[in-house]
Amino acid sequence: MKQEQQNPDGIPPGPEDDFIVEFDFDGGWLGLTLLEGTRAEARRLAAGLVEQFDPLHLAVSKASLQQELEEHALSVHESGPLLTAVAYTDSGVFLADMSVLAYGEDGVTRPSPEEYGDMLLKWSYAEVKGDADITEVALPIGPAVRVQAVLVEKRRFGWGKKLSECLRYWVWPTGHEEILLVEARWHNFERTDELTDLVDRVVPTLRLVPTLLEPGTDNAPEPPSEL
């Protein structure tokens, strides 16, 4: 699933080299973040992830799964995420993707959650269908606004429509100038409850590790595994 992002009006991407994003992945997510964004890097990462699947449970070939992961990693990397992860079934069927992006500018005061309200329901690639569920939440990292909505995705050349569901957390990390966007998206509505829980359980573990410091063993997330 291609993840398209557009910077909110007047809020340029934040300085991505100040920190790295970490979660405590307790299963269900496969880390797909690329550092260099090269084909070779994506191929190595995808090959390692495929080895985490039990070949006896796979309903697809390892080669096709690796190719899918490789292409997804390269596609999402274009939007400049701080972190990318995907969820799959143990049979190798794609379920959802999740990315983290940062918005902000050094020396510029970020808008408060109240001032940012108009941006909460703006997607560059879709429009909201019906009413979105918007909730203010307190995360360990700072205040956040949780947004869950059904989207009508825009098709190329305007042909047809495609529905998806998106769960966003707009996060205001304490002690930082950036606003973080954690966004997960899926098309399988029959698994909405399961995928919503998967996102809601991992977001409170969000933390930022300065890149000037070597992440310690205690800060490193557990190796992700397939759903």
Side-chain angles (χ1 to χ4, degrees):
M1 185 191 304
K2 185 175 182 179
Q3 186 89 1
E4 298 180 46
Q5 291 292 347
Q6 179 173 306
N7 297 350
D9 295 340
I11 307 293
E16 298 181 8
D17 56 353
D18 289 350
F19 53 78
I20 59 174
V21 175
E22 290 185 348
F23 290 98
D24 289 330
F25 289 124
D26 58 355
W29 293 105
L30 298 168
L32 208 58
T33 308
L34 297 179
L35 300 179
E36 301 174 356
T38 64
R39 171 71 65 176
E41 180 189 14
R43 185 175 298 116
R44 289 193 301 270
L45 177 59
L49 293 177
V50 169
E51 293 305 314
Q52 298 186 30
F53 289 83
D54 186 341
L56 297 179
H57 294 161
L58 282 177
V60 297
S61 70
K62 294 177 66 174
S64 64
L65 179 57
Q66 178 175 331
Q67 180 67 21
E68 182 174 285
L69 288 166
E70 179 181 328
E71 294 299 333
H72 187 94
L74 290 170
S75 176
V76 176
H77 181 76
E78 295 176 1
S79 63
L82 299 177
L83 178 145
T84 299
V86 289
Y88 273 75
T89 66
D90 58 5
S91 62
V93 176
F94 174 84
L95 290 177
D97 61 6
M98 179 174 69
S99 292
V100 181
L101 293 100
Y103 299 108
E105 187 173 0
D106 288 339
V108 178
T109 302
R110 65 185 178 187
S112 67
E114 293 74 22
E115 295 169 330
Y116 208 64
D118 291 342
M119 300 306 303
L120 298 178
L121 293 177
K122 287 190 177 181
W123 276 264
S124 64
Y125 58 88
E127 296 179 352
V128 175
K129 178 179 175 63
D131 296 325
D133 180 16
I134 305 176
T135 309
E136 295 183 5
V137 296
L139 298 175
I141 195 174
V145 179
R146 181 187 184 277
V147 180
Q148 187 162 3
V150 174
L151 305 179
V152 180
E153 298 185 17
K154 301 173 184 177
R155 294 276 195 169
R156 294 188 65 182
F157 310 114
W159 293 339
K161 297 179 180 180
K162 189 175 184 179
L163 294 179
S164 65
E165 187 152 8
C166 186
L167 176 52
R168 278 178 163 180
Y169 278 84
W170 289 98
V171 186
W172 278 254
T174 302
H176 289 266
E177 296 180 332
E178 297 82 11
I179 299 173
L180 298 183
L181 171 60
V182 182
E183 178 170 302
R185 190 159 55 105
W186 57 88
H187 290 118
N188 191 337
F189 290 93
E190 294 181 356
R191 305 188 74 149
T192 285
D193 290 344
E194 172 189 351
L195 296 171
T196 296
D197 180 67
L198 195 63
V199 179
D200 286 337
R201 282 191 289 110
V202 76
V203 168
T205 72
L206 170 65
R207 59 184 176 273
L208 305 181
V209 179
T211 54
L212 296 179
L213 300 177
E214 189 70 22
T217 304
D218 293 340
N219 288 330
E222 298 177 4
S225 59
E226 68 273 15
L227 189 66

